[in-house]
Amino acid sequence: MAEDITTLLVRYKQETTELKKAQALTDQLADEISRAEVDMDKLDKTQRKTYDSIVRNSKKAKTEQIGLTDSIKSMAAGYLSFHTITQAVKQFADFDDALKRTQALTGATAMQSMELEKQARDLGATTAFTASQVAIAQGNMGQAGLKVNQILEATPGILALASAGQVDLASATDMSISTLNIFGLEASKATHVADLLATAQANSTGNTQWFSSDIQNAGANAKTLGYTLEDTLAILGAMAPAFKDGGSAGTSLNAILRDLNKNMNKQGQIMLNGKKVTI
């Protein structure tokens, strides 16, 4: 019996020791959990502060950005307004200068100047050209010797030629006036000339500048022999594939026409294969 009690006491002591160790471990774990909860709480508070700070800074940055954007927009709007006003003043000054130049070149009366100005404004509003550009073209026509009524008649056609031929107004003015003069046409035919050149360009390999150069070279002899502008353009159009350089077809045609003109008698006849042929 004594051994049994001793054994029980030993066993009890061992179990008690193990229990105490387990209790100590449990207490230690509980302390660690408690400290972890405190740390998590601190971390949570820190994260919240960081998050709140980010939110506040983001809102502040957004507000500042909006303010900056509004400032930039205001500055840009102010600049655009200033630029627009400056451009408007410059355009008005350019237009006024062009009108004065035309008046000086043509000797236009006050009433005629008003007509020129109205035409320039109307065409500036309804074509690809500005009123100032139209007024400059009017002045160029005046410089070439056209009268006010001729300028008023020719201007729409010259603008049409510039658009169709994709050339500047100065070039279109020179082409039109030269062609009108060569074939003895009235200024009112400027639109007709533009239409003919546009048609010739569309139906051949030559462009407006090509035909204009060739007309300069061959037009006078063609007119002398009785060819119309339509006839001359048709001949040049047929020659276009063989003559790529502007003016070369006209030079060749002019040589042929010159020879024909030289050999023609007073009755308009020439010798061809031993026979008289009336041109």
Side-chain angles (χ1 to χ4, degrees), residues 80-118:
L80 289 175
S81 298
F82 175 76
H83 181 68
T84 301
I85 293 172
T86 302
Q87 286 296 104
V89 171
K90 184 180 184 303
Q91 288 175 2
F92 176 80
D94 291 343
F95 182 52
D96 188 57
D97 289 343
L99 290 175
K100 289 178 179 177
R101 173 175 174 265
T102 303
Q103 184 178 20
L105 290 169
T106 60
T109 64
M111 184 62 69
Q112 289 175 325
S113 295
M114 289 176 63
E115 291 183 71
L116 290 168
E117 179 178 353
K118 183 178 185 305

Side-chain angles (χ1 to χ4, degrees), residues 177-187 189 219 223 227 229:
I177 294 175
S178 177
T179 303
L180 291 171
N181 289 337
I182 288 172
F183 286 91
L185 301 174
E186 297 293 330
K189 296 294 184 180
K223 174 68 168 54
Y227 292 104
L229 175 59

Side-chain angles (χ1 to χ4, degrees), residues 124-136:
T126 56
T127 68
F129 303 98
T130 66
S132 295
Q133 289 174 321
V134 177
I136 291 172

Side-chain angles (χ1 to χ4, degrees), residues 206-258:
N207 58 29
T208 300
Q209 296 95 319
W210 188 92
F211 279 106
S212 179
S213 297
D214 289 321
I215 288 172
Q216 301 301 311
N217 292 337
N221 273 320
K223 174 68 168 54
T224 300
L225 289 170
Y227 292 104
T228 64
L229 175 59
E230 291 87 339
D231 296 332
T232 307
L233 287 172
I235 295 170
L236 289 170
M239 297 173 68
F243 295 88
K244 302 301 182 183
D245 296 331
S248 57
T251 300
S252 297
L253 177 60
N254 188 58
I256 296 170
L257 296 175
R258 186 179 59 244

Side-chain angles (χ1 to χ4, degrees), residues 106-164:
T106 60
T109 64
M111 184 62 69
Q112 289 175 325
S113 295
M114 289 176 63
E115 291 183 71
L116 290 168
E117 179 178 353
K118 183 178 185 305
Q119 183 186 60
R121 289 187 184 279
D122 289 344
L123 292 175
T126 56
T127 68
F129 303 98
T130 66
S132 295
Q133 289 174 321
V134 177
I136 291 172
Q138 291 174 332
N140 291 341
M141 284 182 264
Q143 190 172 22
L146 271 65
K147 304 299 182 184
V148 172
N149 62 319
Q150 294 176 314
I151 293 173
L152 292 170
E153 291 176 338
T155 301
I158 288 175
L159 265 62
L161 177 59
S163 295

